[in-house]
Amino acid sequence: MPNALLAAGTPAPDFTLHATPDQTLSLEELRGAPVVLVFYPADWSAVCGDELVVFNQALPLIRKQGGIVLGISVDSAWCHQAFVKDRNLHFDLLADFEPKGAVSRLYGAYDEVHGCSKRALFVIDAQGRIAWSYLSPTAINPGADGVLDALDQLAKGLSST
């Protein structure tokens, strides 16, 4: 399992996680469209809430590039449902709950010390390769600019590698 964040050019590991308590979503299902993975530590924390609201506000720009946003943390699907409703989010939050942090670990985005996902962003191209990745300090909201730039580069046919 990687300790470093997966870099651009790496095949994105496939996964299947719960989007709701009774529905799962696999990365493979989204092949053919760019996918933005937003790993974050926890639903009800201040910085995470602000970060996810920024992505919610950027959704029209992301969707204009054909992108799909998925938030991923070790919170349960039940916790995600309450958080999505409370913050009026319009993208799926996936539960990397059990085994705890398994997908975060695959992407090098798991914080072993604190037992949660790190604050990491990935843009995966339509062919399933990581086009861009970024690890933010936990206390800093990275915003969506890097993701929007990476999607713009993909749309222009340029690679970040």
Side-chain angles (χ1 to χ4, degrees):
M1 289 183 226
N3 340 358
L5 207 61
L6 293 182
T10 307
D14 192 27
F15 58 80
T16 301
L17 291 172
H18 279 272
T20 69
D22 59 353
Q23 293 179 316
T24 59
L25 181 65
S26 296
L27 183 61
E28 178 69 30
E29 295 172 43
L30 304 175
R31 189 68 51 90
V35 176
V36 176
L37 299 181
V38 181
F39 287 90
Y40 63 99
D43 284 344
W44 302 92
S45 74
V47 176
C48 296
D50 291 347
E51 179 183 15
L52 296 178
V53 167
V54 166
F55 277 95
N56 205 45
Q57 292 169 341
L59 270 179
L61 297 171
I62 293 168
R63 289 181 174 155
K64 187 175 179 181
Q65 299 285 7
I68 297 164
V69 176
L70 300 172
I72 300 176
S73 79
V74 299
D75 294 298
S76 73
W78 296 103
C79 187
H80 283 333
Q81 277 190 318
F83 191 69
V84 164
K85 183 177 180 183
D86 183 75
R87 301 299 166 99
N88 195 30
L89 300 178
H90 297 286
F91 56 90
D92 288 321
L93 299 183
L94 304 180
D96 194 9
F97 186 67
E98 190 58 43
K100 185 178 180 183
V103 173
S104 299
R105 284 180 174 91
L106 286 175
Y107 281 79
Y110 188 72
D111 182 339
E112 294 285 346
V113 174
H114 296 100
C116 61
S117 300
K118 295 177 183 177
R119 193 172 310 287
L121 301 171
F122 294 87
V123 174
I124 300 169
D125 69 18
Q127 292 74 45
R129 294 188 78 75
I130 295 171
W132 178 83
S133 63
Y134 177 73
L135 179 63
S136 178
T138 301
I140 305 293
N141 178 348
D145 290 345
V147 165
L148 293 170
D149 290 346
L151 287 169
D152 190 45
Q153 294 296 311
L154 278 179
K156 292 177 181 175
L158 302 173
S159 173
S160 300
T161 56

